[in-house]
Amino acid sequence: MTGSDGPHRGPGSDFRPAGPASERAREEEERAVEQALALVGGSDRTGGAGGAGGRPSRSQDPRGHQDSQSHQDARDEDPNASPSSDPHARRTSDSDPHARRSGDPHARRSTESHPYDGRDNDPRDGRTTTTATTTAATATAPEPVGEQPPLPDRASPGDPAKSRPTLPPPSWNRARAIASRAGRGGPPATIRLPLDRALGHVLAEALGALTDLPSFDTSAMDGWAVAGPGPWAFEAGAGLLAGRGPAAVLPDGTAVRIATGARVPPDTTAVIRSEHAHVDEARGLLHARRSVVTGQDIRPRGQECRSGEQLVPAGTVVTPAVLGLAAAAGYDALPVVPRPRVDVLVLGDELLNAGLPHDGLIRDALGPMLGPWLRALGAEVSDPRPLGDDAGALRSALTSSDADLIVTTGGTAAGPLDHVHPVLEALGAELLVDGVAVRPGHPMLLARLSPDGPYLVGLPGNPLAAVSGLLTLAEPLLAGIAGRPAQDPYRALVHAEVHGHPHDTRLVPVVHRPGRKGGRDHVAPLRYNGPAMLRGIAAADGLAVVPPGGVRSGTEVEILDLPWAPATPWTEGCFT
């Protein structure tokens, strides 16, 4: 109920005024608060204490809430969310059983919300930027108009008084585009590898034919080479075999035995297969059982390609078939792009490398998973290095790495043991992506440690959230570095309603299913798709890219393939 003076707004109120009258009321309230602060020594313009008469900082509202607008937005999304003024409010999502409380050294650091709860529990809500300047991820922010006040000094880790608010994270599609563009930022290096070592690499140059294929007219079958009309006279003997030098000209009316792959004599009309020929040994004549067509069963020179013709383009992955083609075309070595080198750093004091979870400790699921996954993406990966929650060890590992990409697990949020942002700030790294509007995995990040140094992809600590970060940022980045073509997006029918996040993209594990009775093939979403779960992705052969709001059964959805074979039949039932 409202009156002429407007409603009462207590510390936990969700009311936001609108309109000129309400705005005037808010300004009067702010002035009253300023006067009260001036009497007791309130905050100065930078948020420090003791500035008499100073305005509250932009990150603190008159009621003492840090970044009141972001907290108001969070309450608008979830009316049951605790107000920021509640000292007992959870800082992480209740949906994550491993979410870290500030005083629990064994809980996971990542802060994923449940995909269905409609909350936007971004760990950066209310967090001020203490890392290096975000560049590409904030390219869509409006340009400043007119003269602007100077930005505060870059904050040191743990010094919120000099920090500034984080801009909204980029969309999932934009984050992938930024990662892809970063990977293709410079010309790829080129090395030459012998054929037996080139498998799985990417061609740095187009593969051109070094000779005609075949390089001479060749018999496609075992049989008889004949010239002119039949019957044909022949002489007894071994005939023409593969690998022998050129044969003499074949006169009209004569025939000679020939083997598959043997060089066809000049002036040959056709090759007659052995089973289509009748040999009259007594008279020394060859008869055809079927009509003879000029050029039949002869592979003419240059039938497959001519010298100099492009066989496969640059950017092609060297498969066994490509190796065979290159060998046939006369190659002994291939120009390829070196595989990107990746270091994996596993963060967290709560992680075990063996045995059952116990006493608040959990098994490291990401260390065993990331190496093979990154290799499937075409990278050379070092053994995962467990670093615990040690900022000094993390900084040392980053500065000593000679990899093209460093992947970290966990530590990307803003908890007391989340060291990735502060260490990147201390190193002067350039943040290209700082959070992505995707669930799970929104606290992921992409940074460049120096202009000539490696990239870093920071993955959240929850397993499926880490997979999301891997496919959102690491996969397109590695494809760019290796010169691989980007994965072609495609769409497929989904046979179930898939709930979506109100504002963010969702990545949901799916498995392909054949259509029944002439129906179209489709994908089925898998049940176990929470941020901390791997059971669904273990059965999946792709991820559905679900737009905000979700999709209905029978509609098409974009599919992101996983880099291995489709799920096997044992995934039926218990995973779906």
Side-chain angles (χ1 to χ4, degrees), residues 385-471:
R385 294 176 55 189
L387 297 183
D389 288 315
D390 187 332
L394 175 60
R395 176 168 182 160
S396 176
L398 297 185
T399 55
S400 61
S401 174
D402 61 355
D404 300 297
L405 169 64
I406 302 169
V407 175
T408 61
T409 68
T412 58
L417 296 179
D418 293 330
H419 300 305
V420 174
H421 280 93
V423 169
L424 290 177
E425 164 70 12
L427 294 177
E430 179 186 11
L431 275 176
L432 304 178
V433 175
D434 188 12
V436 178
V438 65
R439 303 301 172 108
H442 58 283
M444 67 182 76
L445 64 86
L446 170 63
R448 183 163 42 205
L449 297 186
S450 68
D452 299 322
Y455 290 96
L456 180 141
V457 168
L459 303 179
N462 275 322
L464 189 57
V467 170
S468 174
L470 192 68
L471 295 179

Side-chain angles (χ1 to χ4, degrees), residues 14 73-82 117-121:
D14 288 344
D73 293 340
R75 290 196 300 275
D76 289 343
E77 288 186 17
D78 183 5
N80 298 317
S82 300
D117 67 3
R119 301 181 187 179
D120 188 11
N121 292 327

Side-chain angles (χ1 to χ4, degrees), residues 244-427:
R244 303 297 173 84
V249 174
L250 191 63
D252 280 354
T254 62
V256 63
R257 286 186 181 277
I258 193 167
T260 302
R263 189 167 187 169
V264 173
D267 297 336
T268 295
T269 301
V271 169
I272 302 175
R273 302 181 185 188
S274 297
E275 59 269 27
H276 297 163
H278 171 68
V279 179
D280 186 344
E281 296 284 357
R283 302 176 62 182
L285 291 177
L286 175 74
H287 298 268
R289 298 181 186 274
R290 299 183 180 182
S291 61
V292 176
V293 178
T294 300
Q296 73 180 27
D297 288 326
I298 295 175
R299 293 188 62 211
R301 176 175 181 169
Q303 182 186 48
E304 186 168 5
C305 65
R306 289 291 184 181
S307 179
E309 185 178 342
Q310 178 176 302
L311 299 177
V312 289
T316 300
V317 178
V318 179
T319 62
V322 170
L323 289 176
L325 176 60
Y331 283 89
D332 300 317
L334 295 178
V336 296
V337 180
R339 287 193 183 102
R341 293 165 296 129
V342 180
D343 285 343
V344 177
L345 307 178
V346 180
L347 311 182
D349 291 337
E350 73 276 22
L351 302 177
L352 294 170
N353 294 321
L356 292 175
H358 62 87
D359 300 328
L361 303 178
I362 61 175
R363 280 294 298 271
D364 171 29
L366 297 182
M369 180 177 69
L370 289 180
W373 200 312
L374 290 162
R375 292 185 187 97
L377 296 177
E380 291 185 357
V381 188
S382 61
D383 292 335
R385 294 176 55 189
L387 297 183
D389 288 315
D390 187 332
L394 175 60
R395 176 168 182 160
S396 176
L398 297 185
T399 55
S400 61
S401 174
D402 61 355
D404 300 297
L405 169 64
I406 302 169
V407 175
T408 61
T409 68
T412 58
L417 296 179
D418 293 330
H419 300 305
V420 174
H421 280 93
V423 169
L424 290 177
E425 164 70 12
L427 294 177

Side-chain angles (χ1 to χ4, degrees), residues 42 79 140 166 229 269 309 343 524 528 539 557-558 564:
T140 57
T166 303
T269 301
E309 185 178 342
D343 285 343
Y528 301 97
V557 64
E558 182 180 342
W564 45 73

